[in-house]
Amino acid sequence: MAPAIIFFDHIILTTTLIASFIAFLLLFYIFSRRSNENSNRSKTNQTLKTVKSCNDDVDIIIVGAGVAGAALAHTLGKEGRRVHVIERDLTEQDRIVGELLQPGGYLKLIELGLEDCVKEIDAQRVLGYALFKDGKHTKLSYPLEQFDSDVAGRSFHNGRFVQRMREKASSLPNVRMEQGTVTSLVEENGVIKGVQYKTKEGQVLNAFAPLTIVCDGCFSNLRRSLCKPKVEVPSNFVGLVLENCVLPFPNHGHVVLGDPSPILFYPISSSEVRCLVDIPGSKLPSVASGEMAKYLKTTVALQLPIQIRDSFISAVEKGNIRTMPNRSMPADPIPTPGALLLGDAFNMRHPLTGGGMTVALSDIVILRDLLNPLVDLTDKESLSKYIESFYTLRKPVASTINTLAGALYKVFLASPDDARSEMRRACFDYLSLGGVCSSGPVALLSGLNPRPMSLVLHFFAVAIFGVGRLLVPLPSVKRLWLGARLISSASGIIFPIIKAEGVRQMFFPRTIPAIYRAPPTPTPSPQ
């Protein structure tokens, strides 16, 4: 009996010790967790307090300081707004697009007081285009007669231009430019309150403001909550820099209607010419294996004007070949209280016509004028309804440039289809006629006459011109059928683009009620 009792006592003692040990561990875990929670809460409160002290007097947060973000920061800063700009990388960019500013964009630059940003960066004046096809060429000049002599296009290194605008924005005492990566929008009950971002030092912070404007470019990771992105990649650009190349027509962009697609040349400094070779589709010859260099030297070089050919081959042999996908995305916003999209984060078009910066700068002028009567931005619901009109007011300019870029790219593509080939020839010959047949389309392309109806009229004038050539001197059933297919092909090019842009917004913006909304009346501050 005694051994059994002793054994039983041992079991009780062991169980008690184990239970006590487990209880001790449990209590230690609870107190440790509470301590950590209190510590984290203290750190969070401290962080929020720090952010609040930095953003308590901020009116607008701008995400991104590229062309759109930097220009917007300067513009709103000049208007007296307190602006906090957060940009992923504030060092000078090295891009192969965003290097040609059309005259319409330069006029907007003047309107924003930023025209001196193209000075002291070796920018080149651009007065028009030269078009090459099958050994023939035609020169298309911008219709600048009614403008001051300084008004023209400008071409430059994109990074130099952006840095100048950043410097100008940063010089304003109410603009704070910070390097950091915005990871998400801060949302509360469907309203955007600000952003969460990681600083250059790796600290995660929240920044708050009544209005957040997202301008983080074509690779935007924030656009999905503010629009319905339908991104297409119709082609890729292969970029080269030609040194000491003398273009056939000085101060002009050059477009070679090659096979399978256009090849662009324009000066970006006094000694450098940018070349962009368009390659349709998503598959590219390999740069690493030398397949790309071989393609450029054996296929592309032979289609170029003889004056450019040696410089082109020399640039290929130097090996600094870069590629970039060409994105297209119609603007399809989701109106969201407290936030707005701008620039390539919001709307993209094929870069063939160099219209991206013109659209962005035009949007900034519209937004500046819209926000101007608003003293108080804190009534986010009213503000959101009011600035919905921005999406409509921007349409005539933006949709004209977008539609022209998409349509012209498709027309300039080589095609085995007879109707498409005829449309391509008709376009070249129509532009070669001069007069209004040249100045009208070039005014559209340059942003000097961004009227959607004018675009449609000229586009179908090209198609009808093509049909007329087919029927002269003697029509036949075959030619009539080809003419009908040409009209059908032209319709198939332009109407889907117009539909994506929005027929009502593009042609009848005044029928949209949001355009007439007055700014919200600010709540009087308590005495």
Side-chain angles (χ1 to χ4, degrees):
M1 189 72 178
I5 293 171
I6 293 170
F7 177 73
F8 185 70
D9 288 341
H10 278 297
I11 290 175
I12 292 173
L13 182 61
T14 304
T15 305
T16 303
L17 288 172
I18 292 171
S20 300
F21 182 69
I22 292 172
F24 172 77
L25 288 177
L26 186 60
L27 287 170
F28 178 80
Y29 172 75
I30 290 169
F31 281 112
S32 175
R33 185 173 178 181
R34 277 186 184 173
S35 176
N36 286 336
E37 283 177 355
N38 290 335
S39 175
N40 289 338
R41 190 177 295 116
S42 175
K43 286 179 182 177
T44 301
N45 289 339
Q46 188 177 359
T47 299
L48 290 174
K49 187 177 178 182
T50 303
V51 173
K52 189 176 180 183
S53 68
C54 293
N55 291 273
D56 204 26
D57 57 350
V58 168
D59 298 313
I60 296 169
I61 292 170
I62 297 175
V63 182
V67 171
L72 182 64
H74 177 265
T75 301
L76 296 179
K78 264 204 331 179
E79 293 285 298
R81 305 291 184 184
R82 295 159 300 185
V83 181
H84 181 191
V85 185
I86 305 170
E87 160 61 33
R88 182 181 59 81
D89 185 1
L90 286 172
T91 59
E92 187 173 309
Q93 305 172 72
D94 182 18
R95 302 183 66 203
I96 66 171
V97 293
E99 298 170 320
L100 178 62
L101 180 65
Q102 297 287 3
Y106 184 69
L107 286 172
K108 297 299 178 184
L109 209 64
I110 294 172
E111 198 171 341
L112 295 170
L114 288 165
E115 67 273 19
D116 57 339
C117 291
V118 296
K119 296 175 181 176
E120 300 176 6
I121 61 170
D122 200 14
Q124 304 297 298
R125 283 169 57 84
V126 180
L127 304 175
Y129 283 88
L131 207 58
F132 295 79
K133 182 181 182 296
D134 300 332
K136 297 187 293 183
H137 67 265
T138 185
K139 189 169 82 165
L140 311 171
S141 298
Y142 294 134
L144 300 171
E145 298 79 14
Q146 61 179 322
F147 298 101
D148 184 82
S149 60
D150 181 55
V151 176
R154 293 291 192 280
S155 53
F156 38 68
H157 282 270
N158 175 273
R160 296 175 187 173
F161 177 56
V162 171
Q163 285 302 102
R164 289 278 286 147
M165 289 202 292
R166 287 174 177 175
E167 289 164 9
K168 191 151 186 180
S170 298
S171 69
L172 298 173
N174 50 326
V175 175
R176 176 189 170 207
M177 199 163 287
E178 180 181 6
Q179 184 161 309
T181 303
V182 175
T183 53
S184 62
L185 299 171
V186 177
E187 183 182 337
E188 186 179 307
N189 300 323
V191 176
I192 302 300
K193 299 288 187 179
V195 299
Q196 183 175 95
Y197 70 105
K198 185 181 286 188
T199 67
K200 187 180 178 181
E201 294 75 28
Q203 187 180 12
V204 177
L205 299 176
N206 288 331
F208 303 103
L211 180 61
T212 299
I213 303 177
V214 177
C215 316
D216 57 343
C218 61
F219 299 104
S220 173
N221 64 339
L222 302 177
R223 65 161 69 103
R224 290 193 174 276
S225 55
L226 301 174
C227 76
K228 302 168 190 171
K230 301 182 182 94
V231 181
E232 293 182 3
V233 183
S235 67
N236 287 265
F237 267 156
V238 178
L240 297 163
V241 173
L242 281 56
E243 295 179 355
N244 301 310
C245 171
V246 179
L247 292 170
F249 296 91
N251 300 108
H252 282 69
H254 291 57
V255 182
V256 179
L257 300 187
D259 186 0
S261 53
I263 306 151
L264 311 181
F265 296 88
Y266 51 87
I268 54 173
S269 75
S270 53
S271 62
E272 297 166 300
V273 169
R274 168 66 70 196
C275 170
L276 295 172
V277 180
D278 184 85
I279 300 182
S282 57
K283 189 175 180 182
L284 289 172
S286 169
V287 175
S289 69
E291 189 183 353
M292 177 67 79
K294 181 180 178 183
Y295 170 79
L296 294 173
K297 287 198 284 187
T298 59
T299 302
V300 176
L302 299 177
Q303 303 181 56
L304 303 180
I306 192 70
Q307 304 97 313
I308 303 175
R309 203 171 293 171
D310 288 344
S311 296
F312 177 82
I313 292 172
S314 176
V316 172
E317 288 174 346
K318 282 185 179 177
N320 188 19
I321 301 171
R322 300 173 61 189
T323 64
M324 198 198 91
N326 295 323
R327 291 174 171 81
S328 176
M329 186 183 80
D332 193 4
I334 302 171
T336 307
L340 194 72
L341 273 171
L342 205 71
D344 283 350
F346 175 46
N347 184 203
M348 293 180 281
R349 75 291 310 147
H350 196 285
L352 172 69
T353 59
M357 289 190 288
T358 301
V359 171
L361 295 170
S362 174
D363 284 354
I364 290 167
V365 170
I366 292 168
L367 186 59
R368 177 199 65 184
D369 295 344
L370 263 180
L371 293 177
N372 182 266
L374 292 171
V375 179
D376 181 17
L377 300 178
T378 56
D379 184 356
K380 294 195 178 184
E381 293 287 351
S382 299
L383 173 65
S384 177
K385 289 179 181 177
Y386 170 63
I387 61 176
E388 271 184 46
S389 56
F390 164 76
Y391 295 122
T392 302
L393 288 167
R394 70 180 295 275
K395 270 295 177 181
V397 173
S399 59
T400 300
I401 292 172
N402 294 345
T403 304
L404 180 63
L408 207 57
Y409 176 69
K410 290 184 178 180
V411 169
F412 281 175
L413 280 174
S415 173
D417 181 72
D418 290 343
R420 292 286 291 271
S421 295
E422 194 60 42
M423 182 71 179
R424 192 188 198 211
R425 282 192 291 271
C427 185
F428 180 86
D429 292 341
Y430 180 86
L431 293 169
S432 302
L433 292 175
V436 71
C437 298
S438 167
S439 63
V442 174
L444 289 163
L445 182 147
S446 62
L448 296 172
N449 176 32
R451 295 179 184 170
M453 191 56 72
S454 180
L455 166 62
V456 173
L457 290 174
H458 275 289
F459 189 81
F460 280 102
V462 171
I464 293 166
F465 172 74
V467 173
R469 291 194 319 168
L470 289 171
L471 302 183
V472 174
L474 203 61
S476 65
V477 173
K478 183 179 178 181
R479 285 172 172 263
L480 281 168
W481 174 241
L482 183 56
R485 285 177 52 218
L486 193 156
I487 295 292
S488 174
S489 176
S491 302
I493 287 172
I494 198 167
F495 287 145
I497 301 173
I498 290 174
K499 183 182 177 184
E501 289 291 326
V503 176
R504 186 181 177 189
Q505 293 92 333
M506 189 170 174
F507 294 99
F508 312 105
R510 296 287 167 188
T511 67
I512 297 174
I515 206 169
Y516 299 105
R517 286 181 183 147
T521 305
T523 306
S525 56
Q527 297 297 322

